[in-house]
Amino acid sequence: MAIRHLDTPIGELTLTATPNGLLQVSFPTAPTPLGIPEPSEQHDMCEAILDATARQISEYFSRSRAAFDLPLDLSTVTPFRRLVLNGLLSIPYAQTISYRDLAALIGHPRAARAVGNACATNPLPIVIPCHRVLRSDGGLGGYLGGPVIKRFLVDLETRQPRLPSPAIETDQVPSRQHAANPNCSRTVKAAEH
């Protein structure tokens, strides 16, 4: 397993990979991912996945990428959540649907609330675009990164986004300090890729 911190327009993201693929994308307000990784023989494979992830997320924020092409490790996801995540992957870039429509899309038309809960626990936000799911009345609905980030991501895809003011950004997207660990953690500026 390997972890990397990536600076983005919405704050620092924490990326976690295993040899099987990208395991987690965490917002600054989310709990620390799965502990501190130990260096292993497969560490280089994890680092290659994190390199590709950092590059593709940077491309997404620069509006030069509409879909991600990454190996994903969904080993910690229940079968129903996996079904929801696969449904999310079918939502085209710059389009939104409702939780009810997503429930119908995955063959569970009466499970809109369960779909919402699965979206709320998406381990790979941005890469698996749960921000493209809105309430039936057109409202934003919940989002793990908060409403400011969800609005930013929807606007990024549909039109030129407005960055939140520094006061809002500070309240909504606090920065975390990370201890340097050369074996498993490094901060990468989005512009580096």
Side-chain angles (χ1 to χ4, degrees):
M1 182 184 319
I3 294 175
R4 183 168 307 165
H5 306 286
L6 178 68
D7 287 331
T8 72
I10 59 172
E12 184 179 82
L13 299 176
T14 302
L15 312 175
T16 307
T18 69
N20 297 324
L22 185 63
L23 181 68
Q24 190 173 19
V25 174
S26 302
F27 293 106
T29 56
T32 304
L34 309 178
I36 297 174
E38 295 290 326
S40 71
E41 295 174 9
Q42 298 174 329
H43 188 76
D44 288 344
M45 184 183 303
C46 296
E47 286 294 328
I49 292 167
L50 293 176
D51 288 343
T53 302
R55 185 186 76 254
Q56 290 185 32
I57 288 176
S58 296
E59 292 167 353
Y60 171 80
F61 281 113
S62 70
R63 300 177 78 166
S64 63
R65 174 172 290 277
F68 293 90
D69 183 21
L70 299 165
L72 305 178
D73 183 347
L74 298 177
S75 61
T76 62
V77 175
T78 66
F80 180 77
R81 282 178 57 203
R82 185 181 304 252
L83 186 64
V84 172
L85 297 177
N86 284 328
L88 289 168
L89 289 169
S90 72
I91 305 169
Y93 181 84
Q95 293 186 22
T96 59
I97 65 172
S98 70
Y99 294 101
R100 183 183 322 151
D101 291 341
L102 181 56
L105 179 70
I106 65 167
H108 294 274
R110 294 178 173 247
R113 189 175 301 232
V115 163
N117 288 334
C119 289
T121 57
N122 175 3
L124 298 166
I126 301 170
V127 174
I128 298 180
C130 53
H131 61 273
R132 296 180 188 155
V133 184
L134 307 177
R135 295 187 335 209
S136 294
D137 66 3
L140 278 180
Y143 189 64
L144 186 61
V148 171
I149 291 176
K150 185 170 187 175
R151 170 55 56 204
F152 179 87
L153 295 172
V154 170
D155 288 351
L156 176 73
E157 293 184 10
T158 58
R159 64 183 179 276
Q160 184 61 38
R162 292 182 318 235
L163 289 173
S165 71
I168 293 173
E169 187 174 69
T170 301
D171 292 336
Q172 295 292 328
V173 188
S175 180
R176 291 189 301 175
Q177 300 293 332
H178 296 280
N181 183 339
N183 293 325
C184 64
S185 177
R186 96 182 156 151
T187 299
V188 177
K189 298 275 187 204
E192 287 181 9
H193 294 281

